[in-house]
Amino acid sequence: MKKKQTKPILRIVFIIASITSLFFVPWILVKAWILPLPNTVQEQVNEAIGHGFDGMIVYVDEAGKPPAFYTGGWKDRKNKIPADPKALFKIASISKLYVAVSITKLVNDKRLSLDETLADYFPELADRIENAEKITLRLMAQHRSGIPNFTNNPAFWEDQPESSKGALEFALDLPASFEPDKGYEYSNTNYLLLREIIYKVVGYSHHQYIKEEILIPLELNNTFSSLKEVDIDNVMSGYYVGIEADFKTNENGMLATAEDVGIFLRALNDGSVFDEGEQEIYSSIYVYEHGGLVPGYQSLAEYHKDIDTIVVQFVNTTNFDGYDWNLSEIVINRIVKILRNKKSS
């Protein structure tokens, strides 16, 4: 008798569990994913604003066509200023692409070796970063060093330091995530240290090196190293869900227009940013597209070889505890699908 009662009870438990699980489904993502695909990129941008983004800029460079710009929502929500395709945006970790190119150029010039170690450049960190004597520049560039990511430390976000040295403190004296070259973990600490190594080698900031070796040759006149170099009125406002404050005045590193990022990404992927011998080096250490995320700003810069198209997407709304990043990825994927459909029609 007891055995016969077990199956109905299990069914009831399963049904209750299934109904309960529905409350935890991220319906905003489901909705964004299953909605009928619009016919145009602009319609998709408008739809994304309807999902709750404050403002959005999309740059599309299809080979053989003039670049196209699409915008929606606000550049400045408080003052009701519409999104501006020429606005400056905090590109966050997209800047790693510029650093990786810089490392590549220095290696090609024999000023750096990818086989040199962190301890070779910073012997003072040997006792504060585990395996420093075994972590090579190559492993740092590839995020295979095992060095903890300083932005994973909750205390970092409570009181963000203004200097690289201050940021590094949030990654020191911690156990390694894994032995060098025995795993992969995206770590901002890797690129913080690589930037400091560039400074040690060239004798001036990595920002200046990037400007001389990348920005000037590509005529990227709307890419800057910090807020100190720009007119704040030209910067797109940044918002965090549930917070009224504008994050525009927070210092978060490089800024650029969507067009400048797109031009750089095109040069990276077609090889024109490289001198002879450099592209092979770069391909061995890093990727050819990237995203970026800081409070108030999320960005995606992609190259799609099958349609020979660059897509750069800027969104000025973030929520680290929500689904805004996932939503942004769904939107750009739908934009690429629209472009593919047009290409094939």
Side-chain angles (χ1 to χ4, degrees), residues 102-114 281:
S102 300
I103 293 294
T104 295
K105 289 181 176 294
L106 289 169
V107 169
N108 194 55
D109 290 343
K110 310 300 182 186
R111 302 175 72 180
L112 276 180
S113 168
L114 291 172
I281 296 169

Side-chain angles (χ1 to χ4, degrees), residues 234-344:
N234 295 331
V235 179
M236 192 171 189
S237 292
Y239 304 102
Y240 197 98
V241 174
I243 298 175
E244 278 299 313
D246 186 343
F247 284 75
K248 179 166 64 173
T249 57
N250 288 26
E251 181 60 75
N252 294 116
M254 287 184 72
L255 304 98
T257 60
E259 181 175 31
D260 262 29
V261 172
I263 292 171
F264 167 73
L265 202 68
R266 171 67 72 179
L268 179 66
N269 280 273
D270 68 19
S272 58
V273 74
F274 299 115
D275 293 330
E276 185 177 353
E278 291 178 353
Q279 190 160 19
E280 185 178 357
I281 296 169
Y282 183 90
S283 294
S284 74
I285 63 171
Y286 213 48
V287 297
Y288 281 82
E289 57 184 25
H290 221 286
L293 177 66
V294 291
Y297 301 85
Q298 54 182 352
S299 49
L300 291 164
E302 301 181 353
Y303 172 66
H304 295 273
K305 187 176 181 179
D306 61 318
I307 53 175
D308 197 5
T309 296
I310 298 288
V311 180
V312 178
Q313 178 178 285
F314 291 165
V315 175
N316 65 346
T317 308
T318 59
N319 183 0
F320 293 178
D321 297 319
Y323 299 102
D324 291 64
W325 179 261
N326 309 80
L327 183 58
S328 180
E329 290 183 312
I330 289 172
V331 171
I332 198 170
N333 288 339
R334 285 165 66 87
I335 286 172
V336 172
K337 190 171 183 180
I338 291 168
L339 296 171
R340 282 200 180 103
N341 288 347
K342 283 190 173 183
K343 201 89 168 180
S344 61

